[in-house]
Amino acid sequence: MTPPRSYRAEAIVLRRTELGEADRVVTFFTAEYGKLKAVAKGVRKPKSKLAGLVELFTHSTLQIARGRGLDVLSQGEVIHPFLPLKTDLARSSCAFYVAELVSRFTVEHQENVDLFDILLGTMVELCETRKSDLLLRRFEMQLLQCMGYRPNLYHCTACNAQLKPTTNAFSPSGGGVLCPACAGADPAARGISVNSIKVLRLLQDGDWATALRVNIEEHLAGELEHVLRVYVEYLLERRVQSATWMDKVRSEVRKAVPPDLPQPSQGKGRADTAAAH
Amino acid sequence: MSNVSSTSTAEPVARLIAALHRLPGVGPKSAQRLAYYLLQADQQQVTELAEAITLLKQQITLCSTCLNISDAETCVICRDPKRDVAQICVVEKPMDILPLERTKAFKGLYHVLHGTIAPSEGIGPDQIKIKELLARLQDSTVREVILATNPNVEGEATALYLQRIMSPFGIRITRLARGLPFGADLEYTDEVTLTGALEGRQQLG
Ligand SMILES: [Zn+2]
Ligand SMILES: [Zn+2]
């Protein structure tokens, strides 16, 4: 039986690169086929009907034609344009991070509908949430679990002893927490506080409502982010490129001055710090 | 897909075909046609083309002010006394200047970023010409910066970031692309649409 010439897919745009004069190669994550690449022809021309479909993070249903080389996007319909992810700098920087992680953790044509739902759910909430930090932590935990890297947060990954409410250590290579007695066994393991473990457990158990009620001050948020970033980068064996941008945007938001108090002399200092990173 | 450098072709011809094939918009068939055309063209025409290509790289440099491509230290636009030095239009690449110039609606100067912030490719603000733009704002001649990065996610992120770091300078910051269709390239936008986008540019922040 010959496969059909064209197929339908529900997709979210993860990446795209320019091809030739006006085309793009677009990497989608789809509900039906996992990650896949397709050529979108003429989409850099203003009158293109496909341009909106291949903009980053857009959620749509697509009709794709099988090609001899790459498949070709023929038509589609936008479900969610996710405009806040395109026009709000902080949300946009988080969306880049989410899309990069999904792209890096997956291979093409490996169906994973759970991951599609995680990605879609994260993008939907990212448009509105006031707690994007916590949302990203939930996303990382869901992604890790879905890809088979669920961290062990209840027992020491070395001696299997139940973890006590004290400062333990997180071991990326061990895939979970080490008790204080075993912490020395992994030189890469770093201290993890009781509160961090508590929040991670809530996220792991899917108790999002309780997690949202927890008052996570800046220090704890930083620790949670660090623990998961180190684990993710250990698993990927590489840096997450868009994390650098996300960090930079966040530090710009923090030091942003009210727009009605412009001081050109201050500008120089700001510019220098921005360039120095 | 046919292999352009097949073994039945003489080496110099195969090499030219391969080189032409790497150009944008030139497929294997066109590359072959061009190569065989040049093979039978007269020597003068071929020499002229070869020289033009060689000199392109030798004589073209970046304008020290706006970083547009230029044949001198300062480009033709920056040296034109009739241009308004109080306005700077920020674009992603030198080619984006062409459609804006065709509108004749913009009389200020340009600044070419040579790229856009592309987080997943590891391209951040330090990898494009933002420092150079901020340096141009140090004296108080500039009163308006028009952000004409492409109307897509990266172009928008670049514009929003620039707006944020330029806000302390107390100049008017406007965004050109708001009326343009999302996802399109400035390079391919027609004059009427661009003129409308210039006239209807909106202040940010
Ligand atoms: Zn132990
Ligand atoms: Zn110039």
Side-chain angles (χ1 to χ4, degrees), chain B residues 182-194:
Chain B
F182 225 84
D185 258 28
L186 210 60
E187 197 186 320
Y188 299 111
T189 310
D190 64 273
E191 286 102 273
V192 181
T193 313
L194 262 187

Side-chain angles (χ1 to χ4, degrees), chain B:
Chain B
M1 220 155 275
S2 64
N3 188 351
V4 285
S5 54
S6 91
T7 45
S8 61
T9 317
E11 214 289 309
V13 182
R15 197 174 137 197
L16 179 60
I17 293 175
L20 289 168
H21 184 41
R22 284 199 295 269
L23 299 175
V26 180
K29 289 246 167 54
S30 318
Q32 259 168 29
R33 206 165 52 239
L34 288 168
Y36 282 100
Y37 169 81
L38 290 168
L39 196 57
Q40 55 79 49
D42 65 73
Q43 185 59 43
Q44 199 199 339
Q45 190 188 359
V46 175
T47 310
E48 262 177 39
L49 177 66
E51 266 180 19
I53 294 173
T54 312
L55 293 179
L56 179 70
K57 279 308 218 184
Q58 284 173 0
Q59 296 183 343
I60 288 292
T61 160
L62 295 184
C63 170
S64 60
T65 306
C66 72
L67 303 156
N68 185 14
I69 46 175
S70 170
D71 57 358
E73 168 79 11
T74 308
C75 76
V76 275
I77 296 174
C78 290
R79 353 182 241 268
D80 183 349
K82 291 195 288 293
R83 307 290 302 211
D84 181 2
V85 295
Q87 279 187 328
I88 294 180
C89 180
V90 179
V91 295
E92 289 178 14
K93 52 187 191 297
M95 247 201 305
D96 294 340
I97 291 179
L98 306 176
L100 286 161
E101 281 299 284
R102 278 199 301 269
T103 67
K104 300 193 167 46
F106 179 67
K107 299 277 187 262
L109 304 178
Y110 291 94
H111 186 86
V112 184
L113 292 173
H114 289 275
T116 174
I117 290 170
S120 40
E121 321 299 322
I123 302 173
D126 301 348
Q127 278 75 46
I128 58 175
K129 310 289 183 189
I130 288 181
K131 261 202 322 279
E132 292 80 353
L133 173 62
L134 298 178
R136 292 177 72 182
L137 307 180
Q138 293 304 328
D139 60 29
S140 46
T141 32
V142 180
R143 286 194 306 274
E144 179 179 5
V145 172
I146 303 168
L147 300 169
T149 48
N150 280 320
N152 55 40
V153 176
E154 293 92 341
E156 195 71 16
T158 308
L160 292 167
Y161 178 77
L162 283 174
Q163 183 222 343
R164 189 159 283 169
I165 61 168
M166 289 191 301
S167 69
F169 289 90
I171 44 178
R172 185 172 140 89
I173 303 168
T174 53
R175 177 85 170 109
L176 166 77
R178 281 286 154 82
L180 303 175
F182 225 84
D185 258 28
L186 210 60
E187 197 186 320
Y188 299 111
T189 310
D190 64 273
E191 286 102 273
V192 181
T193 313
L194 262 187
T195 306
L198 261 172
E199 284 162 357
R201 63 183 184 268
Q202 287 162 7
Q203 185 146 6
L204 291 175

Side-chain angles (χ1 to χ4, degrees), chain A residues 15-18 20-22 24 43-47 51-52 55-57 68 85-89 92 96 100 104 241-242 245 248-249 252-253 256-257 262-264 266-268 270-271 274-277, chain B residues 1 24-26 93 117-126 131 134 138 150-154 156-158 160-161 164-171 178 181-190 193 205:
Chain A
R15 274 191 74 178
R16 63 219 191 325
T17 51
E18 296 187 354
E21 273 181 289
R24 287 187 196 280
V43 288
R44 285 154 62 202
K45 305 235 166 133
K47 296 214 163 67
E55 193 45 77
L56 280 174
F57 319 134
R68 271 184 304 168
L85 307 184
K86 302 169 182 181
T87 56
D88 177 313
L89 192 57
S92 151
F96 271 109
E100 183 179 350
R104 297 250 184 249
Q241 308 246 51
S242 44
W245 171 240
K248 179 155 211 134
V249 167
E252 284 296 329
V253 174
V257 291
Q263 278 163 18
Q266 233 185 0
K268 193 169 189 311
R270 289 277 305 278
H277 181 75
Chain B
M1 220 155 275
V26 180
K93 52 187 191 297
I117 290 170
S120 40
E121 321 299 322
I123 302 173
D126 301 348
K131 261 202 322 279
L134 298 178
Q138 293 304 328
N150 280 320
N152 55 40
V153 176
E154 293 92 341
E156 195 71 16
T158 308
L160 292 167
Y161 178 77
R164 189 159 283 169
I165 61 168
M166 289 191 301
S167 69
F169 289 90
I171 44 178
R178 281 286 154 82
F182 225 84
D185 258 28
L186 210 60
E187 197 186 320
Y188 299 111
T189 310
D190 64 273
T193 313

Side-chain angles (χ1 to χ4, degrees), chain A residues 158-176:
Chain A
C159 71
N160 209 31
Q162 194 167 357
L163 294 172
K164 294 196 176 65
T166 172
T167 298
N168 293 283
F170 191 89
S171 160
S173 59

Side-chain angles (χ1 to χ4, degrees), chain A residues 19 39 41 61 71 111 132 166 195 231 262:
Chain A
L19 175 74
V39 178
K41 296 202 163 150
T61 48
D71 291 355
E111 190 217 308
S132 57
T166 172
N195 283 339
Y231 187 34

Side-chain angles (χ1 to χ4, degrees), chain A residues 156 158-161 178-179 181-182:
Chain A
C156 171
C159 71
N160 209 31
L178 292 169
C179 72
C182 298

